[in-house]
Amino acid sequence: GETVTLKIELLLQGFAQRRVVVDEKGAALPGATVELRTGALVRTTTTNARGEFRFERVARGLHEVA
């Protein structure tokens, strides 16, 4: 599949980050692999049936989500 990278800046440290992955038509993408990259650190999760993913305890700063 296609990989899309987003740069996000988190201003509050320690909060869970939850987002939804959708296709070009706006439909949720269940089962998609999502990576949160912070420098050399890479965390991976999979979207649920509603296309949602969540990362816990994300540090403040600039991150990439792909």
Side-chain angles (χ1 to χ4, degrees):
E2 180 180 343
T3 299
V4 176
T5 301
L6 306 172
K7 290 184 187 276
I8 59 172
E9 184 172 4
L10 303 178
L11 302 177
L12 299 173
Q13 184 171 350
F15 285 88
Q17 295 299 309
R18 183 173 60 187
R19 302 282 193 262
V20 177
V21 177
V22 296
D23 65 15
E24 62 278 352
K25 295 180 183 177
L29 290 175
T33 300
V34 181
E35 291 183 347
L36 176 70
R37 301 177 189 151
T38 308
L41 177 66
V42 178
R43 295 167 59 186
T44 304
T45 192
T46 304
T47 59
N48 65 17
R50 295 182 303 273
E52 299 171 340
F53 68 91
R54 181 180 179 113
F55 288 103
E56 298 287 339
R57 298 178 304 277
V58 177
R60 183 173 68 178
L62 186 61
H63 306 272
E64 290 184 357
V65 177

